[in-house]
Amino acid sequence: MSFKEKLQASFKSEDTEEWIDVHFTRPVGLVLAIGADKIDMHPNTVTIISIVIGVASAFFFYSTDVVSNLCGVLLLMTANFLDSADGQLARLTGQKTLLGRVLDGFSGDVWFFAIYLAIVVRLFGQPIPFLDVHW
């Protein structure tokens, strides 16, 4: 099966895939899914790794340093690619599970809770731009 055929087979459905996913996120995710399949990694393991990386990105968003923030963005993008890869791996290998669906839905919530918390802690006590009021 060619890469393009695998990519088509790994989509959720034509009507739910967005342009950025079809042309960017899904192809990168498929490369990761193929790599995970070669080392016999279960899709749930990929999801758990995405959770760890997504939460790790929050530590970089806590910093006010631009380089740290860029590292946070790169880690968050990696978590997002892994989030795509876990579903693609599950669909291509037939390893779909209820636990996998729950973990997949939960993973993004965990990342964003950690990121929002890091940003709140970072801003706490800082002045609101253009005002003499502190957060």
Side-chain angles (χ1 to χ4, degrees), residues 11 15 26 28-30 34 44 47 53 55 66 68 82 86-87 89-90 93 95-96 99 104 108 110 115-116 127 132:
F11 288 164
D15 60 331
R26 296 289 182 212
V28 174
L30 181 57
I34 291 169
N44 293 348
T47 305
I53 292 174
V55 169
V66 173
S68 293
L82 289 169
D86 64 4
L89 179 60
T93 61
Q95 297 182 69
K96 299 184 225 174
L99 175 62
D104 189 53
V110 173
I115 291 167
Y116 296 150
D132 287 334

mmCIF file of all heavy atoms in Angstrom, residues 11 15 26 28-30 34 44 47 53 55 66 68 82 86-87 89-90 93 95-96 99 104 108 110 115-116 127 132:
data_model
loop_
_atom_site.group_PDB
_atom_site.id
_atom_site.type_symbol
_atom_site.label_atom_id
_atom_site.label_comp_id
_atom_site.label_asym_id
_atom_site.label_seq_id
_atom_site.Cartn_x
_atom_site.Cartn_y
_atom_site.Cartn_z
ATOM 1 N N PHE A 11 -7.708 8.455 7.426
ATOM 2 C CA PHE A 11 -8.607 9.563 7.714
ATOM 3 C C PHE A 11 -9.827 9.067 8.480
ATOM 4 O O PHE A 11 -10.275 7.944 8.291
ATOM 5 C CB PHE A 11 -9.087 10.244 6.429
ATOM 6 C CG PHE A 11 -8.043 11.065 5.710
ATOM 7 C CD1 PHE A 11 -8.243 11.444 4.401
ATOM 8 C CD2 PHE A 11 -6.866 11.451 6.331
ATOM 9 C CE1 PHE A 11 -7.301 12.204 3.722
ATOM 10 C CE2 PHE A 11 -5.916 12.201 5.675
ATOM 11 C CZ PHE A 11 -6.139 12.583 4.361
ATOM 12 N N ASP A 15 -15.774 14.128 5.428
ATOM 13 C CA ASP A 15 -16.510 15.318 5.875
ATOM 14 C C ASP A 15 -16.020 15.873 7.210
ATOM 15 O O ASP A 15 -16.370 16.986 7.574
ATOM 16 C CB ASP A 15 -18.016 15.046 5.931
ATOM 17 C CG ASP A 15 -18.374 13.925 6.877
ATOM 18 O OD1 ASP A 15 -17.548 13.016 7.076
ATOM 19 O OD2 ASP A 15 -19.497 13.945 7.422
ATOM 20 N N ARG A 26 -2.107 15.298 9.265
ATOM 21 C CA ARG A 26 -2.266 13.860 9.001
ATOM 22 C C ARG A 26 -1.047 13.234 8.324
ATOM 23 O O ARG A 26 -0.642 12.139 8.720
ATOM 24 C CB ARG A 26 -3.527 13.587 8.187
ATOM 25 C CG ARG A 26 -4.800 13.953 8.889
ATOM 26 C CD ARG A 26 -5.115 13.022 10.025
ATOM 27 N NE ARG A 26 -6.383 13.417 10.638
ATOM 28 C CZ ARG A 26 -6.660 13.277 11.897
ATOM 29 N NH1 ARG A 26 -5.786 12.733 12.716
ATOM 30 N NH2 ARG A 26 -7.809 13.661 12.378
ATOM 31 N N VAL A 28 2.123 14.107 8.598
ATOM 32 C CA VAL A 28 3.165 13.982 9.636
ATOM 33 C C VAL A 28 2.763 12.896 10.629
ATOM 34 O O VAL A 28 3.586 12.059 11.029
ATOM 35 C CB VAL A 28 3.406 15.330 10.352
ATOM 36 C CG1 VAL A 28 4.373 15.159 11.510
ATOM 37 C CG2 VAL A 28 3.926 16.375 9.372
ATOM 38 N N GLY A 29 1.499 12.895 11.017
ATOM 39 C CA GLY A 29 1.007 11.866 11.938
ATOM 40 C C GLY A 29 1.163 10.470 11.376
ATOM 41 O O GLY A 29 1.503 9.525 12.094
ATOM 42 N N LEU A 30 0.929 10.316 10.073
ATOM 43 C CA LEU A 30 1.064 9.000 9.448
ATOM 44 C C LEU A 30 2.503 8.508 9.491
ATOM 45 O O LEU A 30 2.747 7.336 9.753
ATOM 46 C CB LEU A 30 0.547 9.027 8.008
ATOM 47 C CG LEU A 30 0.617 7.694 7.259
ATOM 48 C CD1 LEU A 30 -0.155 6.598 7.994
ATOM 49 C CD2 LEU A 30 0.108 7.859 5.841
ATOM 50 N N ILE A 34 3.418 5.080 11.250
ATOM 51 C CA ILE A 34 4.156 3.994 10.590
ATOM 52 C C ILE A 34 5.380 3.612 11.430
ATOM 53 O O ILE A 34 5.676 2.431 11.622
ATOM 54 C CB ILE A 34 4.552 4.401 9.149
ATOM 55 C CG1 ILE A 34 3.298 4.488 8.268
ATOM 56 C CG2 ILE A 34 5.572 3.434 8.568
ATOM 57 C CD1 ILE A 34 3.532 5.140 6.912
ATOM 58 N N ASN A 44 -2.461 3.437 22.303
ATOM 59 C CA ASN A 44 -2.628 4.060 23.623
ATOM 60 C C ASN A 44 -1.298 4.543 24.190
ATOM 61 O O ASN A 44 -1.249 5.553 24.898
ATOM 62 C CB ASN A 44 -3.294 3.098 24.599
ATOM 63 C CG ASN A 44 -4.724 2.795 24.224
ATOM 64 O OD1 ASN A 44 -5.317 3.456 23.368
ATOM 65 N ND2 ASN A 44 -5.297 1.784 24.850
ATOM 66 N N THR A 47 -0.661 7.825 22.626
ATOM 67 C CA THR A 47 -1.489 8.842 23.279
ATOM 68 C C THR A 47 -0.871 9.296 24.594
ATOM 69 O O THR A 47 -0.828 10.496 24.883
ATOM 70 C CB THR A 47 -2.917 8.299 23.541
ATOM 71 O OG1 THR A 47 -3.471 7.830 22.317
ATOM 72 C CG2 THR A 47 -3.812 9.374 24.128
ATOM 73 N N ILE A 53 4.235 14.938 26.549
ATOM 74 C CA ILE A 53 4.864 16.022 25.792
ATOM 75 C C ILE A 53 4.014 17.288 25.839
ATOM 76 O O ILE A 53 4.537 18.399 25.983
ATOM 77 C CB ILE A 53 5.153 15.578 24.347
ATOM 78 C CG1 ILE A 53 6.247 14.507 24.361
ATOM 79 C CG2 ILE A 53 5.559 16.757 23.473
ATOM 80 C CD1 ILE A 53 6.523 13.874 23.018
ATOM 81 N N VAL A 55 1.933 18.231 28.233
ATOM 82 C CA VAL A 55 2.061 18.826 29.570
ATOM 83 C C VAL A 55 3.446 19.454 29.730
ATOM 84 O O VAL A 55 3.575 20.532 30.315
ATOM 85 C CB VAL A 55 1.775 17.772 30.667
ATOM 86 C CG1 VAL A 55 2.157 18.287 32.043
ATOM 87 C CG2 VAL A 55 0.297 17.376 30.642
ATOM 88 N N VAL A 66 11.240 34.342 24.960
ATOM 89 C CA VAL A 66 10.714 33.985 23.644
ATOM 90 C C VAL A 66 11.220 32.617 23.191
ATOM 91 O O VAL A 66 10.457 31.815 22.636
ATOM 92 C CB VAL A 66 11.067 35.075 22.601
ATOM 93 C CG1 VAL A 66 10.665 34.638 21.199
ATOM 94 C CG2 VAL A 66 10.410 36.388 22.949
ATOM 95 N N SER A 68 12.067 30.077 25.044
ATOM 96 C CA SER A 68 11.328 29.063 25.806
ATOM 97 C C SER A 68 9.916 28.896 25.260
ATOM 98 O O SER A 68 9.421 27.775 25.128
ATOM 99 C CB SER A 68 11.260 29.445 27.284
ATOM 100 O OG SER A 68 12.534 29.403 27.860
ATOM 101 N N LEU A 82 1.425 13.633 17.454
ATOM 102 C CA LEU A 82 1.251 12.328 18.094
ATOM 103 C C LEU A 82 -0.224 12.024 18.329
ATOM 104 O O LEU A 82 -0.651 10.869 18.228
ATOM 105 C CB LEU A 82 2.039 12.260 19.401
ATOM 106 C CG LEU A 82 3.552 12.196 19.247
ATOM 107 C CD1 LEU A 82 4.238 12.416 20.591
ATOM 108 C CD2 LEU A 82 3.981 10.861 18.640
ATOM 109 N N ASP A 86 -1.853 8.611 16.892
ATOM 110 C CA ASP A 86 -2.469 7.519 17.658
ATOM 111 C C ASP A 86 -3.744 7.010 16.993
ATOM 112 O O ASP A 86 -3.956 5.808 16.860
ATOM 113 C CB ASP A 86 -2.710 7.908 19.121
ATOM 114 C CG ASP A 86 -3.694 9.051 19.319
ATOM 115 O OD1 ASP A 86 -4.294 9.553 18.348
ATOM 116 O OD2 ASP A 86 -3.863 9.463 20.484
ATOM 117 N N GLY A 87 -4.579 7.931 16.516
ATOM 118 C CA GLY A 87 -5.806 7.518 15.834
ATOM 119 C C GLY A 87 -5.532 6.852 14.501
ATOM 120 O O GLY A 87 -6.173 5.858 14.144
ATOM 121 N N LEU A 89 -2.820 5.200 13.694
ATOM 122 C CA LEU A 89 -2.269 3.879 13.996
ATOM 123 C C LEU A 89 -3.386 2.915 14.377
ATOM 124 O O LEU A 89 -3.419 1.771 13.917
ATOM 125 C CB LEU A 89 -1.236 3.992 15.128
ATOM 126 C CG LEU A 89 -0.564 2.701 15.586
ATOM 127 C CD1 LEU A 89 0.195 2.046 14.439
ATOM 128 C CD2 LEU A 89 0.371 2.987 16.757
ATOM 129 N N ALA A 90 -4.318 3.374 15.190
ATOM 130 C CA ALA A 90 -5.437 2.520 15.609
ATOM 131 C C ALA A 90 -6.294 2.111 14.406
ATOM 132 O O ALA A 90 -6.687 0.940 14.289
ATOM 133 C CB ALA A 90 -6.289 3.240 16.655
ATOM 134 N N THR A 93 -4.241 -0.333 11.978
ATOM 135 C CA THR A 93 -3.905 -1.659 12.529
ATOM 136 C C THR A 93 -5.113 -2.354 13.154
ATOM 137 O O THR A 93 -4.986 -3.478 13.639
ATOM 138 C CB THR A 93 -2.791 -1.538 13.593
ATOM 139 O OG1 THR A 93 -3.247 -0.701 14.662
ATOM 140 C CG2 THR A 93 -1.515 -0.979 12.983
ATOM 141 N N GLN A 95 -6.572 -1.559 15.919
ATOM 142 C CA GLN A 95 -6.408 -1.612 17.375
ATOM 143 C C GLN A 95 -7.259 -0.550 18.080
ATOM 144 O O GLN A 95 -6.830 0.025 19.071
ATOM 145 C CB GLN A 95 -4.937 -1.424 17.741
ATOM 146 C CG GLN A 95 -4.035 -2.515 17.210
ATOM 147 C CD GLN A 95 -2.610 -2.289 17.639
ATOM 148 O OE1 GLN A 95 -2.278 -2.410 18.816
ATOM 149 N NE2 GLN A 95 -1.754 -1.947 16.691
ATOM 150 N N LYS A 96 -8.457 -0.311 17.576
ATOM 151 C CA LYS A 96 -9.343 0.676 18.198
ATOM 152 C C LYS A 96 -9.912 0.089 19.485
ATOM 153 O O LYS A 96 -10.355 -1.054 19.503
ATOM 154 C CB LYS A 96 -10.495 1.029 17.260
ATOM 155 C CG LYS A 96 -10.074 1.643 15.959
ATOM 156 C CD LYS A 96 -11.296 2.031 15.171
ATOM 157 C CE LYS A 96 -11.154 1.612 13.730
ATOM 158 N NZ LYS A 96 -12.358 1.850 12.964
ATOM 159 N N LEU A 99 -10.923 2.465 25.608
ATOM 160 C CA LEU A 99 -9.929 3.186 26.406
ATOM 161 C C LEU A 99 -9.169 4.175 25.521
ATOM 162 O O LEU A 99 -8.900 5.308 25.921
ATOM 163 C CB LEU A 99 -8.950 2.220 27.071
ATOM 164 C CG LEU A 99 -7.794 2.862 27.832
ATOM 165 C CD1 LEU A 99 -8.306 3.712 28.993
ATOM 166 C CD2 LEU A 99 -6.830 1.795 28.344
ATOM 167 N N ASP A 104 -7.786 9.553 24.085
ATOM 168 C CA ASP A 104 -7.602 10.524 23.016
ATOM 169 C C ASP A 104 -8.375 11.807 23.295
ATOM 170 O O ASP A 104 -7.847 12.901 23.123
ATOM 171 C CB ASP A 104 -8.034 9.914 21.679
ATOM 172 C CG ASP A 104 -7.663 10.804 20.511
ATOM 173 O OD1 ASP A 104 -6.488 11.189 20.407
ATOM 174 O OD2 ASP A 104 -8.560 11.134 19.716
ATOM 175 N N GLY A 108 -5.998 16.109 24.948
ATOM 176 C CA GLY A 108 -5.981 17.540 24.646
ATOM 177 C C GLY A 108 -6.432 18.382 25.823
ATOM 178 O O GLY A 108 -5.893 19.466 26.071
ATOM 179 N N VAL A 110 -5.982 17.674 28.960
ATOM 180 C CA VAL A 110 -4.867 17.709 29.919
ATOM 181 C C VAL A 110 -3.814 18.711 29.473
ATOM 182 O O VAL A 110 -3.328 19.514 30.270
ATOM 183 C CB VAL A 110 -4.251 16.303 30.105
ATOM 184 C CG1 VAL A 110 -2.999 16.363 30.959
ATOM 185 C CG2 VAL A 110 -5.267 15.364 30.719
ATOM 186 N N ILE A 115 -1.303 24.083 30.140
ATOM 187 C CA ILE A 115 -0.829 25.315 29.486
ATOM 188 C C ILE A 115 -1.530 26.535 30.059
ATOM 189 O O ILE A 115 -0.888 27.546 30.386
ATOM 190 C CB ILE A 115 -1.020 25.224 27.962
ATOM 191 C CG1 ILE A 115 -0.056 24.191 27.379
ATOM 192 C CG2 ILE A 115 -0.812 26.583 27.303
ATOM 193 C CD1 ILE A 115 -0.358 23.792 25.946
ATOM 194 N N TYR A 116 -2.855 26.464 30.208
ATOM 195 C CA TYR A 116 -3.588 27.606 30.756
ATOM 196 C C TYR A 116 -3.153 27.885 32.191
ATOM 197 O O TYR A 116 -2.998 29.044 32.581
ATOM 198 C CB TYR A 116 -5.094 27.365 30.713
ATOM 199 C CG TYR A 116 -5.666 27.239 29.319
ATOM 200 C CD1 TYR A 116 -6.778 26.452 29.077
ATOM 201 C CD2 TYR A 116 -5.099 27.904 28.228
ATOM 202 C CE1 TYR A 116 -7.318 26.331 27.794
ATOM 203 C CE2 TYR A 116 -5.628 27.794 26.956
ATOM 204 C CZ TYR A 116 -6.738 27.001 26.746
ATOM 205 O OH TYR A 116 -7.267 26.889 25.491
ATOM 206 N N PRO A 127 1.099 43.419 35.682
ATOM 207 C CA PRO A 127 0.118 44.441 35.295
ATOM 208 C C PRO A 127 -0.589 44.060 33.991
ATOM 209 O O PRO A 127 0.016 43.469 33.102
ATOM 210 C CB PRO A 127 0.970 45.699 35.103
ATOM 211 C CG PRO A 127 2.350 45.209 34.865
ATOM 212 C CD PRO A 127 2.473 43.888 35.574
ATOM 213 N N ASP A 132 -3.356 50.210 35.062
ATOM 214 C CA ASP A 132 -2.620 50.156 36.323
ATOM 215 C C ASP A 132 -3.166 49.070 37.234
ATOM 216 O O ASP A 132 -3.011 49.114 38.442
ATOM 217 C CB ASP A 132 -2.712 51.519 37.054
ATOM 218 C CG ASP A 132 -1.848 52.571 36.369
ATOM 219 O OD1 ASP A 132 -0.852 52.179 35.713
ATOM 220 O OD2 ASP A 132 -2.180 53.766 36.501
#
